[in-house]
Each structure stands twice: as structure tokens, then as C-alpha cells.
Amino acid sequence: MFKLPEAWVWDFWTVDDGEQYHLFFLYASRALRDPHARHYRASVGHAVSSDLVHWERVVDALVRSDAPAFDDLATWTGSVVRHPDGRWFMFYTGASLNASGANVQSIGYAVSTDLMTWDKAPGPVLAADPRWYEKYADGHWHDEAFRDPWVLPDPDGDGWHMLITARANHGDTVDRGVVGHAWSADLETWELREPLSSPGEGFGQLEVLQPFVVDGRDVLLFNCLVGDMPEAARADGVTGGVWIADAKSPLGPYDIAGAQVIDDPSLYVGKFVTERETGDTKLLAFVHDRDGAFVGEITDPYAVTWDGDRLALTPTLSTLGSSRG
């Protein structure tokens, strides 16, 4: 596993530069003692690997900005893509407290030529728009949820799309989770659009979205804990965790109401990764809970296969036998 003795590690994203896999991860010091406090102390760390198992930590990627700034509380989850001109773009969540002390999230980006040194662009480039998305002032949720940007090229070559963890501005309070959406021609200037899904599909929020093709099948991976789901779902005994929904394309439509939770309830923030040498799909996640306590470490890769309509995780030898940092 990728774990740090001095810090909790949780949400993460990866990118393959053709020679190494790069792991970008949120971390915060265990000296905080309370793992819930980690969210307001999160920085973006960086590690590299040749095999998705043995990781070498390198210089951190991002830290929060000095106030006042959209990311002056913490830097949260994002994604990395490469511009046609060779530059790498890291899109990330900036968290800041408003005048009433509420956590307001918006999205910015940083640019690098080598994946090691990152320069932030002036931000934010996207924030929740009340035409479609819930604002904290609506009073229905504990924060202004607008985060976890996942950027991908348009399937037909028309620019870039961003999927965003967001909440609709209407519907049942605990059932407003939607796939937020934005579009860009150049990765620098972004146009916010209406959501790619509708509220009322069983989730208060859909965290850390990732569209992917697993064995020829389009899916949407997302994450939601049972505490952020409607009461009916809790009554059915759902535990929450990593979810997978069928999709018609990376941009939907998605069968979110029919999503299934991946079997291991201790895992959170699953991410699919294509193994370079074999082309096989692997899944990594962070260990969220063990015996009722927060863990904060990233698994070795699992092999993934379809068992009928369910996605089956198979531990690799490294997953079964390693404890590497």
C-alpha cells in the first residue's frame, strides 16, 4: 500500500506519462489527531511508480494559497490531462470559508511542463451557478458542493469536458447529487453548462467522478457514503462506498439510480487505471474505514472483471501481501 507514517492519505488521481505513473494525493498530518480535521489541512502530494505498486514520494504538487484566495483553506481533489502543446494541466478544487464560516468550493488549475513543478493560474475558473446548481445560501447542505473536477477530451474532438461533483438547485434535500458539467475549447477558459444527470436518483452527492470503459463497457465510477444518501437507501441496508453506474458514453446518459456499490465497504474514492504493459484495467482506492477507525492509505491495484452485471475485484499478489510506502 501507499501509506505515510506521519500523514493520512485519502483522495487521489493518477496520470501516465508513458514512462512512469504519477500519483497525486491529498494528505494531512496525523498530528491533527482528529481525522475529520484533515479536510481543512489538505495539500496535494506526489509520488511516482513504474508498476503501480512500488511508489517513490517526490516533491509536493500544490499547497493552499495565502488569503484571500479561492483555495486559501485547502487544495482538494482533481485530475491531470495533457494539452496538445505538451503542457500538463492539473484541475483541482479550491476550498475557502465564506463570511459565515461555510466551506465554499470552486475549481482552478495549475500548469506544468514536467509534472513536477506546478504554477497556479489565477482562479477560480468555475464556480457553482444558481441557474442549475445549489449554492450554500440555499441552506440545504453542509457546504457549497462544487468540486472534484474530472477533465477528459471530447469523444468527437470538440474541445474538453469537465465532470464535477455538484448538487442541483431543486429536489429533495438529501437527493440532489448530480454530475456537473463544463466545456472548454483550450483548457484555459471554461463554460459552465447544465448537469449531465438529474436529482432524485438516490444520492446527496456523487464524489470524485470518473467515466471509464471496462472491457468494452462504458461506466461511471463515483463515491457516496450512506450518510449522504436518502433515508430510504439507509433503510435498505446500503453501506455506501465506491459505486459504478452503466453509461451510454463518457458524457452519459448514466444509470445512476441503478448504480451498484463495489463489494468492499472499507474502500473509498475508487479510480480505474490502465496498466501500460498489458492494457488491463486496474482499480485503486483508499482505505477509509477499518474496525470503525479512519485509516487513510491507498491500496495496491485490484484486477477488475465483470461477474454478470457486477464488477468483481480480485486482489493481486501485491494487494494481498504488501505494505509498501
Side-chain angles (χ1 to χ4, degrees):
M1 295 183 175
F2 179 78
K3 58 183 179 180
L4 302 176
E6 79 283 6
W8 295 294
V9 178
W10 64 106
D11 292 15
F12 65 95
W13 55 103
T14 66
V15 67
D16 181 358
D17 69 6
E19 296 182 359
Q20 290 182 308
Y21 302 100
H22 294 255
L23 175 75
F24 297 96
F25 55 90
L26 303 190
Y27 78 95
S29 174
R30 294 179 187 270
L32 292 167
R33 298 188 181 181
D34 177 5
H36 295 290
R38 72 188 191 279
H39 297 296
Y40 285 10
R41 296 292 187 274
S43 298
V44 180
H46 185 190
V48 295
S49 173
S50 62
D51 60 6
L52 295 172
V53 175
H54 303 86
W55 294 97
E56 175 189 357
R57 190 176 181 186
V58 294
V59 65
D60 287 352
L62 293 178
V63 296
R64 65 182 182 177
S65 298
D66 293 333
F70 80 100
D71 59 351
D72 57 21
L73 179 65
T75 51
W76 284 0
T77 313
S79 59
V80 173
V81 293
R82 195 170 198 176
H83 192 282
D85 66 12
R87 292 179 296 160
W88 298 93
F89 278 63
M90 179 185 293
F91 294 88
Y92 71 97
T93 307
S96 184
L97 298 181
N98 66 11
S100 62
N103 184 321
V104 174
Q105 300 139 33
S106 51
I107 294 167
Y109 71 88
V111 179
S112 175
T113 58
D114 60 4
L115 288 168
M116 293 292 178
T117 301
W118 295 89
D119 296 311
K120 291 181 180 179
V125 295
L126 286 167
D129 187 323
R131 286 180 294 171
W132 303 300
Y133 299 103
E134 181 184 275
K135 304 286 285 184
Y136 178 75
D138 297 339
H140 295 300
W141 202 243
H142 48 77
D143 59 19
E144 187 167 305
F146 197 82
R147 62 181 182 273
D148 306 339
W150 185 265
V151 175
L152 65 152
D154 181 85
D156 298 321
D158 182 20
W160 303 80
H161 296 270
M162 182 188 295
L163 307 188
I164 305 162
T165 294
R167 283 171 48 86
N169 62 5
H170 63 282
D172 184 347
T173 298
V174 292
D175 205 356
R176 291 189 174 193
V178 293
V179 180
H181 182 215
W183 177 86
S184 174
D186 58 8
L187 293 177
E188 296 181 355
T189 302
W190 287 85
E191 171 191 309
L192 187 61
R193 296 180 173 179
E194 62 184 300
L196 293 174
S197 68
S198 301
E201 297 189 290
F203 301 92
Q205 54 187 10
L206 290 79
E207 295 195 283
V208 195
L209 299 149
Q210 184 193 23
F212 208 84
V213 179
V214 181
D215 292 340
R217 183 170 171 177
D218 276 288
V219 297
L220 180 70
L221 199 68
F222 66 93
N223 304 264
C224 188
L225 296 172
V226 68
D228 293 326
M229 298 175 67
E231 192 65 39
R234 305 179 208 179
D236 288 342
V238 173
T239 58
V242 184
W243 296 82
I244 188 166
D246 282 327
K248 294 296 185 182
S249 79
L251 302 176
Y254 315 109
D255 182 18
I256 293 171
Q260 298 186 33
V261 68
I262 287 177
D263 289 337
D264 189 339
S266 72
L267 302 181
Y268 205 61
V269 181
K271 281 286 174 64
F272 290 125
V273 181
T274 300
E275 192 173 59
R276 187 187 318 116
E277 290 78 7
T278 64
D280 292 341
T281 299
K282 305 292 186 181
L283 184 130
L284 288 78
F286 84 82
V287 184
H288 180 272
D289 177 273
R290 186 180 294 136
D291 299 326
F294 182 77
V295 177
E297 57 192 31
I298 298 173
T299 68
D300 286 337
Y302 289 86
V304 297
T305 55
W306 290 107
D307 180 9
D309 287 333
R310 295 196 67 85
L311 191 74
L313 301 185
T314 303
T316 63
L317 291 177
S318 58
T319 312
L320 289 167
S322 74
S323 183
R324 302 177 175 91

